Amino acid sequence: MDVESLGVWVPALPVASALFILVFLRGTHRAAARVSLSALTLSLLLAAGLLVRYLMGGGMAVIDTGGVFGSLWLDPLSLVLWAFVSGISLIVHIYSVRYMAEEPGYARFFALLDLMTGVILVMVSAANLVTLLVAWFLVGVVLYFLLGHDHRRPAAGRYAFWTQITYRFGDLPLWLAALILVHSYHSVSLPVIFARIHKAPGTELWGMPVPELTGFLLALAAFARSAQFPLHIWLPYTMDGPTPVSALMHAGIVNAGGFLFNRFAPLFEHAGWALHWTFGVGLMTALIGSGLMLMQNDIKRSLGYSTMGQMGFMVMECGLGAFPLAVFHLIAHGFFKASLFLGAGDVIGDARAHDGVPADPIYTSVVERRPAKPSRLPWLVAASLTVLVPVVVLSLSHFFVAEHLFYEQGVVVLLFFGWVTGAQALFAAHKMSQQDPWRLMLGILSSFVVVVIGYTLISHYFGQLLYPDEHESLRLYQAASIHRLSFDALVMLLAAVFVGGWALTFFAESFDFEGRLGARGRGVYLGVYALLSRELYVADVYERSSQLIVQWSRRLNVWLRWC
Amino acid sequence: MDRALFALAAVFVPIFPLSWVFNRTAALLPAGAQALVVLIVPQIGITLLAATFHGAPPPLSLRPWIMGLATASALLYALRALSARELSIWTRLMLCSGLAVVWLAWAAGSPGPVLRLMALGWGLPAAVALFLAGALTRRAGGAYIGLQGGLIAVMPRMTAGLVLAVLALTVTPVFPAFFMLWRGLESVPLAWLPFWLPLIFLWGWAAGRLFQDLLFGDYHGEPMADIGALSVALISVAFLVSLAVSLAGSGGASWY
């Protein structure tokens, strides 16, 4: 047996553990947790070993079972995601050992967690379309049962159903894309299909190039899985499931969209319009998700919308052709969000136990009742730092690390967003009233420089790992490019919008906008607020449409006498 | 002669409008007999289909009509399953929807053994669900899911069996129906696919609505005994066999 064949055990161990627990350890507590943890640990060690082996010069491999389904592809994407998924899952498992101790169905919970992990591991390494479809489909099914683990709560069931139905909707374009690819390229094997697309990218169906058509379908499948607007409504409501499931979902499962784009990267090289559409949807989701996040007063739902915003950024990165950056983003976000979810319970508990108000009467009278003395940098200095420093730091770091990519449109847009985000952080720091504003600004600036340089270096080397062929990265950026003139106009327009927004915020107090709004303006403001607080009525529209369809179904049944 | 065989086959492998006869007749039988009917009768129907047109696939001019009728029938029954709450009715509607794939594959020229495996892919879980519907009717006086809240609290074994049957009926991998659907859709012209894919959505929706009432909420009925060890063993064997067929031959599709 060669070393690559050992790879089968990475997904097989958690699946075997799930079946073992369900058959033999259903009534146990400790034994089920031990078996589950042991299987996951072995799986992680094996995944890490295979990744290290690849980094030290080992090649890619396809483990073929010979049947229609079950083949695994051990390429850099699979190996990196194997290590990531099994790592996150192990953390969630360890957390669940005590967190779920008082819950009924303890062993079943671990079995489902194992099954979910195994299915995701198969999904990220599927070497053929049927295997991918099987795993993609099963993720939705297993997630439904995990989210509805506490069957005594109807709300858990309702929101698990929302998730299941959105996932099922997202399965349809993947089915169609898979069948179109099989019909057009006469194979279910992904490496074979990609090789044939490379040779004949102009193959047409229904008057459209097949890669472009399937690119749209794959993007739609990814949107449903990664909670893109308007298929996002399930995500913030899945908090009714157990916290470890929320952590696993927000850290891993919801990232499946980014994985799908990367898996089909050779196809997206010939699907420019699908990438432009992806960019638009990602941008809109990022804006809506981040906006709605700011309106929430429930920490877990706020984290849910934060994930939606992050998924928007990840999808947007794919739309720009920065595919490896999306994988780096999903891994970084995965660890970050898992830690937030797993810590959310403690934060809520602490907040309930301690209200944070010191009991000391001297503190209360001296510190709290004394208004802070506002002290800020001169506005010209602040504006220069805010606008110029991020541009200089971002441009220099990218220029030195990957000069050949510096002029690609996708990279320019990413730098633009980096500039906006960096400037926003500096601007927020400037707005804080501090006794020593120079010290604060210096601290923020040094953090910014360290983060940007670190992020640029890591994402560059990560990109080289995932896409060793540099031309492939370039082809993706070029597929995502638009006409030069339109691009320049778009960048200038966006820059004007952002600078205008900052100016508006900066001068909001001095111009007294709120006072000048008038009754009509306040009405509009309240209308927008109501629209956003009802989450744009998306859930209501779905609810009403589904009620209508079920009503027609009932009428048909009565008419046909239920036969 | 061909027309008569064709009409009979449309009753036995139910397709609208003659599926109404199949459903009406099955509804008159006790649950155990219904379970046998959904296993055996479609197999007879496939024999009849094989005898039509002297064993050859349907003529090219007829194929689009058969595919169109199968598609409409499958969509109609899937839509109707959304509002069904009585387990036997729900199962029969889902079965009629799923068995339309057999007609689709027949029109596309799939061989007889594949059609038989397809019918079993939907027939076996339907038989299990109907058997469990009978068990529930005997205990609770009816198989209306949702009438008494989460049945899982009092009948965990029955609920587990029913969940597996529903998943298998609604083409969840790795049950055979999933691979059979793949095989069926792979063999038809691509233009039919946009009509067939909403089916997968409707099946999932129907299953989700059933699970809502079956699994969640507090049980508020009389105490009930769960199904016995023999029933559990029978159901387990049925699912193990179908899983083995799936894993060894992608639902049996890869053997032909």
Side-chain angles (χ1 to χ4, degrees), chain A residues 185-241:
Chain A
Y185 296 105
H186 313 292
S187 175
V188 289
S189 161
L190 286 172
V192 173
I193 288 173
F194 294 153
R196 289 180 185 167
I197 287 177
H198 192 64
K199 272 187 191 165
T203 310
E204 286 205 350
L205 180 76
W206 301 328
M208 251 182 113
V210 170
E212 193 74 75
L213 178 64
T214 45
F216 275 105
L217 292 167
L218 291 166
L220 187 57
F223 295 162
R225 205 44 75 97
S226 287
Q228 299 300 292
F229 183 83
L231 300 171
H232 67 282
I233 205 71
W234 58 276
L235 183 69
Y237 288 90
T238 47
M239 306 310 160
D240 268 281

Side-chain angles (χ1 to χ4, degrees), chain A residues 469-539:
Chain A
D469 177 9
E470 209 171 89
H471 294 103
E472 201 177 348
S473 296
L474 281 172
R475 283 197 298 268
L476 284 166
Y477 276 122
Q478 278 152 18
S481 300
I482 57 172
H483 189 269
R484 186 86 215 176
L485 199 64
S486 319
F487 177 74
D488 291 344
L490 194 69
V491 169
M492 279 192 272
L493 177 75
L494 280 174
V497 167
F498 279 107
V499 172
W502 287 329
L504 203 68
T505 320
F506 194 81
F507 295 115
E509 282 173 28
S510 39
F511 283 169
D512 187 25
F513 283 129
E514 214 171 314
R516 293 178 185 205
L517 269 176
R520 197 168 175 179
R522 268 194 292 277
V524 172
Y525 175 80
L526 280 176
V528 173
Y529 182 80
L531 186 69
L532 289 173
S533 64
R534 286 293 298 164
E535 292 154 355
L536 306 173
Y537 292 97
V538 178

Side-chain angles (χ1 to χ4, degrees), chain A residues 120 128 139 151 205 268 314 345 487 544 546:
Chain A
I120 298 176
N128 73 36
V139 167
H151 56 78
L205 180 76
F268 280 105
M314 183 189 72
F487 177 74
R544 186 70 195 126
S546 61

Side-chain angles (χ1 to χ4, degrees), chain A residues 219-489:
Chain A
L220 187 57
F223 295 162
R225 205 44 75 97
S226 287
Q228 299 300 292
F229 183 83
L231 300 171
H232 67 282
I233 205 71
W234 58 276
L235 183 69
Y237 288 90
T238 47
M239 306 310 160
D240 268 281
T243 298
V245 180
S246 302
L248 186 64
M249 200 175 75
H250 287 255
I253 300 165
V254 77
N255 296 317
F259 152 74
L260 198 67
F261 277 105
N262 275 275
R263 174 51 79 221
F264 285 90
L267 182 148
F268 280 105
E269 285 173 22
H270 310 283
W273 283 104
L275 289 180
H276 303 331
W277 181 47
T278 301
F279 172 72
V281 172
L283 180 61
M284 199 197 308
T285 306
L287 290 175
I288 292 175
S290 308
L292 289 177
M293 178 191 78
L294 297 173
M295 293 187 68
Q296 306 305 315
N297 54 10
D298 173 325
I299 184 171
K300 283 180 85 181
R301 192 173 298 173
S302 169
L303 288 177
Y305 276 112
S306 149
T307 300
M308 180 186 162
Q310 290 296 325
M311 290 301 105
F313 279 118
M314 183 189 72
V315 165
M316 201 181 78
E317 284 159 1
C318 293
L320 291 170
F323 280 46
L325 191 64
V327 178
F328 181 56
H329 189 151
L330 74 87
I331 291 175
H333 171 254
F335 280 113
F336 160 69
K337 200 46 74 68
S339 64
L340 279 176
F341 267 105
L342 298 180
D346 279 347
V347 173
I348 295 168
D350 281 350
R352 281 179 187 153
H354 314 286
D355 56 13
V357 179
D360 188 352
I362 298 173
Y363 179 93
T364 311
S365 60
V366 176
V367 179
E368 280 206 335
R369 288 179 189 168
R370 189 184 67 184
K373 190 183 169 189
S375 171
R376 291 176 183 165
L377 295 182
W379 78 268
L380 193 61
V381 177
S384 314
L385 282 174
T386 302
V387 176
L388 292 179
V389 169
V391 177
V392 174
V393 174
L394 280 159
S395 306
L396 284 180
S397 62
H398 277 75
F399 188 77
F400 284 118
V401 173
E403 196 216 335
H404 61 289
L405 292 177
F406 193 68
Y407 306 102
E408 295 298 335
Q409 287 182 5
V411 176
V412 174
V413 175
L414 285 170
L415 288 175
F416 179 81
F417 274 90
W419 168 63
V420 171
T421 316
Q424 189 69 43
L426 298 183
F427 182 62
H430 167 69
K431 293 268 284 178
M432 286 179 189
S433 295
Q434 279 289 320
Q435 284 187 336
D436 190 352
W438 281 104
R439 195 174 155 201
L440 177 75
M441 191 53 89
L442 207 64
I444 298 278
L445 280 176
S446 8
S447 312
F448 183 75
V449 170
V450 170
V451 166
V452 167
I453 293 175
Y455 197 83
T456 313
L457 278 173
I458 294 171
S459 61
H460 175 67
Y461 290 117
F462 193 72
Q464 281 188 332
L465 167 69
L466 287 186
Y467 293 90
D469 177 9
E470 209 171 89
H471 294 103
E472 201 177 348
S473 296
L474 281 172
R475 283 197 298 268
L476 284 166
Y477 276 122
Q478 278 152 18
S481 300
I482 57 172
H483 189 269
R484 186 86 215 176
L485 199 64
S486 319
F487 177 74
D488 291 344

